[in-house]
């Protein structure tokens, strides 16, 4: 039996894909990137070596408990919002690239409500190990109530909006360009799975341009975990530049690119492949225009 309401399927697909992404290479990239965003005097390789030295392979999965909660919730929210907006805009005649940018931004912003507290806990686990997740929750709540879990919330909002606008938008644009370059104007031509993966890699790499927002988020949440006043996003960025120069805003860009590619392959390219497979096997009816 075919299910016609696409966003409902997205609620089921989203958490599974996002949790698989995080549990595999997503967490190591996240831990590596988060350490570099805070310890900005370490080189890329030195940060990697120090993580391993301090805890062995398991150190790259610090904060996984909070990350799984984050992945399950934000995956559902992202897929429901992003895919629903995207299908609606495509049906209204938008180009895939423009629809991808708008849908990605909408889905990214929708994630912030659940991401701010969970990324705060993951950041604390990476940069201030030695405290259990529940103990960190109790300490944070006693210190600042619910608001204590939201330092760097504005930076997260900027990051998520630009993250998924860029990942979805760039990937859709690259996909359209690749389809035209490879198959010309052939009607109904589709990229192969490996060609789709290639487009996802390019889209995920290009989407890492917004890394300064991520470094500001890491710094603000690290301060929050230490009980230090965080300030606003602009003041945090100013402090980072004062301490580490402009280059400090791009510390951790290598693992961030790796994470961006990995997440794009799961949440943009992978999600598209899963839905197309379900359609081909008669489990889904296409509720959009067919351009997604």
């Amino acid at each position: 039996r075919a299910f016609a309401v696409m966003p409902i399927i997205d609620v089921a697909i989203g958490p599974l894909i996002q949790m698989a992404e995080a549990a595999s290479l997503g967490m190591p990239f996240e831990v590596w990137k988060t350490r570099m965003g805070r310890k900005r005097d370490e080189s890329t390789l030195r940060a990697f070596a120090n993580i391993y030295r301090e805890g062995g392979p398991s150190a790259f999965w610090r904060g996984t408990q909070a990350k799984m909660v984050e992945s399950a919730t934000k995956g559902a929210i992202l897929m429901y919002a992003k895919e629903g907006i995207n299908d609606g805009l495509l049906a209204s005649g938008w180009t895939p690239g423009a629809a991808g940018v708008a849908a990605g931004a909408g889905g990214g912003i929708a994630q912030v409500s659940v991401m701010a507290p969970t990324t705060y806990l993951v950041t604390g686990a990476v940069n201030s190990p030695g405290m259990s997740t529940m103990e960190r929750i109790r300490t944070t709540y006693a210190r600042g109530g619910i608001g204590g879990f939201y330092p760097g919330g504005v930076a997260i909002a900027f990051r998520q909006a630009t993250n998924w606008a860029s990942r979805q938008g760039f990937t859709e644009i690259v996909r359209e360009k690749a389809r035209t370059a490879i198959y010309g104007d052939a009607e109904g031509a589709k990229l192969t799975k490996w060609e789709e993966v290639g487009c996802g890699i390019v889209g995920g790499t290009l989407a890492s341009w917004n890394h300064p927002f991520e470094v500001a988020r890491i710094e603000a949440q690290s301060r929050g975990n230490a009980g230090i006043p965080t300030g606003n996003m602009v003041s945090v960025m100013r402090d980072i530049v004062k301490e580490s120069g402009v280059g400090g805003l791009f510390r951790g860009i290598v693992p961030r690119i790796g994470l961006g590619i990995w997440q794009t392959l799961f949440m943009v390219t992978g999600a598209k492949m899963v839905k197309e497979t379900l359609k081909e096997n008669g489990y889904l009816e296409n509720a959009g225009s067919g351009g997604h």
Side-chain angles (χ1 to χ4, degrees), residues 208-277:
S208 298
W209 67 268
N210 65 351
H211 192 58
F213 293 134
E214 174 66 346
V215 176
R217 188 275 302 175
I218 293 169
E219 177 66 25
Q221 291 188 331
S222 296
R223 292 179 182 181
N225 269 284
I228 302 171
T230 59
N232 59 43
M233 184 179 70
V234 174
S235 69
V236 170
M237 285 185 165
R238 189 183 301 122
D239 290 343
I240 292 170
V241 172
K242 186 183 300 182
E243 178 187 323
S244 308
V246 175
L249 294 172
F250 292 90
R251 299 301 293 169
I253 188 66
V254 171
R256 175 74 191 289
I257 289 173
L259 181 62
I261 291 172
W262 197 244
Q263 290 189 337
T264 302
L265 290 177
F266 274 82
M267 302 306 294
V268 178
T269 306
K272 181 177 186 294
M273 289 180 176
V274 169
K275 292 173 70 173
E276 286 189 347
T277 299

Side-chain angles (χ1 to χ4, degrees), residues 125-182:
V126 173
N127 288 328
S128 304
M131 182 184 294
S132 70
T133 299
M134 290 309 300
E135 185 179 355
R136 195 178 304 280
I137 290 172
R138 286 193 295 269
T139 301
T140 301
Y141 186 80
R143 186 167 57 217
I146 296 297
F149 294 93
Y150 286 84
V154 173
I156 294 175
F158 273 93
R159 184 195 70 172
Q160 288 307 108
T162 53
N163 260 1
W164 292 107
S166 300
R167 289 170 182 171
Q168 185 83 23
F170 284 145
T171 301
E172 292 289 357
I173 292 169
V174 171
R175 185 182 286 148
E176 289 299 305
K177 296 293 185 183
R179 184 182 294 114
T180 300
I182 296 170

Side-chain angles (χ1 to χ4, degrees), residues 17-28:
I17 297 178
Q18 190 87 71
M19 290 173 75
E21 171 271 315
S24 50
L25 288 180
M27 274 306 295

Side-chain angles (χ1 to χ4, degrees), residues 25-161:
L25 288 180
M27 274 306 295
F29 280 130
E30 181 75 32
V31 169
W32 190 8
K33 171 201 69 174
T34 299
R35 182 184 178 98
M36 291 191 68
R38 178 59 170 166
K39 300 181 185 297
R40 292 182 294 276
D41 58 330
E42 295 182 351
S43 68
T44 301
L45 293 179
R46 174 57 58 188
F48 185 94
N50 284 341
I51 294 169
Y52 186 85
R53 180 177 56 81
E54 292 173 5
S58 63
F60 289 94
W61 277 268
R62 280 182 187 146
T64 297
Q65 183 179 3
K67 192 67 175 179
M68 288 299 101
V69 174
E70 174 193 320
S71 297
T73 51
K74 81 173 185 178
I77 291 170
L78 174 68
M79 287 293 292
Y80 185 89
K82 176 173 71 72
E83 298 298 294
I85 294 170
N86 198 58
D87 288 343
L89 293 178
L90 289 173
S92 299
W94 286 45
T95 65
V101 170
I109 291 173
Q111 289 183 315
V112 176
S113 59
V114 297
M115 282 197 67
T118 49
T119 57
Y120 169 85
L121 295 172
V122 173
T123 299
V126 173
N127 288 328
S128 304
M131 182 184 294
S132 70
T133 299
M134 290 309 300
E135 185 179 355
R136 195 178 304 280
I137 290 172
R138 286 193 295 269
T139 301
T140 301
Y141 186 80
R143 186 167 57 217
I146 296 297
F149 294 93
Y150 286 84
V154 173
I156 294 175
F158 273 93
R159 184 195 70 172
Q160 288 307 108

